Amino acid sequence: MKKIWWKEAVAYQIYPRSFMDSNGDGIGDLPGITSKLDYLKELGIDVIWISPVYKSPNDDNGYDISDYQDIMDEFGTIEEFDKLLSGIHERGMKVIMDLVLNHTSDEHPWFIESRSSRNNSKRDYYIWRDGKNGAEPNNWESMFNGSAWEYDETTGQYYLHLYSRRQPDLNMENPEVRQELADMIRWWLDKGIDGFRVDAITHIKKLPGLPDMPNPHGLRYVDSAAGHRNIEGIHDFLQQFKKTYADYDIMTVGEASGAPISEADRWIGEENGAFNMIFQFEHVNLDFGSDGRWDFGPWDLAKLKQIIKKWQTGLEGIGWNALYLENHDQPRSVSRFGDPVNYPKASAKMLATFFMLMQGTPFIYQGQEIGMTNVVFNKLSEYRDVEIYNYYRERLMDGKDVEDTMRRISYRARDNARTPMQWNDSVSGGLSEGIPWIGVNPNYHDINVEQQVADPDSILNYYKELIKLRKANEALIYGKYDDWLEEHPEIFAYTRTFEGRMFLIVLNFYANHPELEIPLELRGRGCRVAISNYSRPEQLNDKFKMEPYEAIVYELNPS
Ligand code: GLC
Ligand code: CA
């Protein structure tokens, strides 16, 4: 396996709106990020992924771009971006930008032109169709609920939008569109950025003819057949984009919902893959209910084990994993997979140990390193996400129970991850001196950076130690992954092995005291405890009871 800088990196995602505000308007901004670079360096971060900061009317918080080559007014100026960029590079860190290729804002000049008349030169930049029998051109539903088509009076046709109606899909079949995007990509690379996280990339190709789908409702987020997810021919586009940046030493990670591991080589093969890594969705879709993403049920450890094993062993020798539990679209991991009430600290540390030491590049999402949790908003009006309002409206129209709807929203809302970063105990948790654009989680008094910096036993300091451990041991970066105790209902165990060195990671995913029985093959070797969230003696008994949410990493002596 090739050694490459981005395999050794630890990445950190910033959602700029909620990270740090420099001018008291309640909205995080670029100078705010710049002011926190030392914090990130100190944490051990190598690569920063910044969610979109481009010009945008903010229908979907920047994922609706109206100018790819300028900065959103609320976030600052291009000069402030340059300052941020050099601040990152001066500290020996790198930055990857969010690249949204599937769609633009409806306020992008291309779309304004495109919608102006049927024979405008930009008409074909987007996907326009006539209605069918007085209704939408097909039955596709938007990922943000409702039809994926919007009727436009001016020209009497519909345009396609897989996300909000203010995010019209670009027509990737048009070579001019691909050329414009490629030029834009090079413009950013020439500015000196170090790569991209590529948004919603499995959707850029649509099934020719845009046919009706058998289960339009199932199309959203669920990895079932859709007319717009991982469609044959998509790799021609992706390879073309790849050529655009072939001569830059960068890191690329695709957000690839629905890309199956059987196609790993085309997506992330070390030689020919479209990207260096992809974010797959299987482990974060574990708690979907029978009614899809908005429905939720208990998740299953046995299934989690299967999914992790599949990607960890399946990519060995083929490509590289992107490791994550959280991002700006997912509820907080302690609230989903841990116990935020009884074991907030132990379970946050256990989850950190779980995902940070597998094979791949770990991505920490802002606030995860201090164990931020889901928020409780009691009123719909406290939410900010366009997706939630669409969902709520649709449920009401379907005559569904309001309380049940609010319960679903409270669990699944993307806003759970978008509340202000909890820096300290001052008003609004230190995001801003003004009123933050979205309410702060009231638990900021107990969960905040300032307090955790000072506490040697904090989640934050555990993350720092974990990052140091990973960096100091190639086995934890390049090591082969093997799973153990496959049948155990409560304990997750894996080893990482490289050039004669071996680490054993054991994790209790429950608030119980399950008995850990060390597999025979791993017994009788001396060891040291490399890190643990309880205090554990430096010896590996063949059998012992684990503490609730305990995580222990043993470095085993060579056998
Ligand atoms: C991706 C982003 C999400 C956004 C969507 C549309 O899934 O992560 O936040 O809403 O694409 O751009
Ligand atoms: Ca601001």
Side-chain angles (χ1 to χ4, degrees), residues 60 63 103 144 163 167 197 199 255 328-329 414 418:
D60 187 22
Y63 283 90
H103 45 265
F144 288 171
Y163 292 89
Q167 292 168 298
R197 174 268 187 188
D199 186 71
E255 188 204 20
H328 64 295
D329 295 329
R414 305 193 297 178
R418 300 176 180 184

Side-chain angles (χ1 to χ4, degrees), residues 20-32 74-75 432:
M20 187 64 203
D21 175 25
S22 71
N23 62 356
D25 66 356
I27 298 174
D29 46 44
L30 297 182
E74 290 164 331
F75 288 174
S432 174

Side-chain angles (χ1 to χ4, degrees), residues 12-19 49-54 58-65 75 96-100 103 144 163 167 197-201 221 253-256 279 281 284 293-294 323-333 336 363-368 372 374-375 383-388 409 411-421 437-438:
Y12 187 96
Q13 182 193 351
I14 289 179
Y15 196 68
R17 245 186 143 61
S18 304
F19 190 63
W49 153 25
I50 308 183
S51 277
V53 296
Y54 317 98
N58 274 308
D59 185 52
D60 187 22
N61 289 351
Y63 283 90
D64 49 320
I65 297 169
F75 288 174
I96 63 176
M97 300 279 284
D98 219 308
L99 186 62
V100 186
H103 45 265
F144 288 171
Y163 292 89
Q167 292 168 298
R197 174 268 187 188
V198 193
D199 186 71
I201 195 64
Y221 288 90
V253 45
E255 188 204 20
F279 291 120
F281 278 66
V284 290
R293 174 166 175 265
W294 286 103
L323 309 170
Y324 76 102
L325 290 178
E326 292 187 20
N327 60 41
H328 64 295
D329 295 329
Q330 299 290 336
R332 291 289 184 177
S333 60
R336 289 173 96 173
F363 286 76
I364 301 166
Y365 177 67
Q366 69 184 42
Q368 184 178 355
M372 280 177 64
N374 282 355
V375 70
Y383 289 101
R384 295 288 174 268
D385 187 358
V386 56
E387 183 195 31
I388 290 169
I409 289 175
Y411 181 83
R412 190 63 76 192
R414 305 193 297 178
D415 281 343
N416 278 312
R418 300 176 180 184
T419 59
M421 176 70 184
W437 70 280
I438 185 171

Side-chain angles (χ1 to χ4, degrees), residues 350 485 488 490-492 505-517 533-534 536 544-552:
M350 186 280 287
L485 308 178
H488 200 292
E490 293 176 314
I491 296 174
F492 196 117
I505 294 102
V506 289
L507 311 151
N508 174 13
F509 265 78
Y510 292 88
N512 306 331
H513 292 83
E515 186 167 70
L516 172 67
E517 221 179 302
N533 60 352
Y534 287 80
R536 267 290 158 196
F544 62 92
K545 287 210 180 310
M546 291 189 78
E547 297 295 326
Y549 294 100
E550 183 167 11
I552 322 168

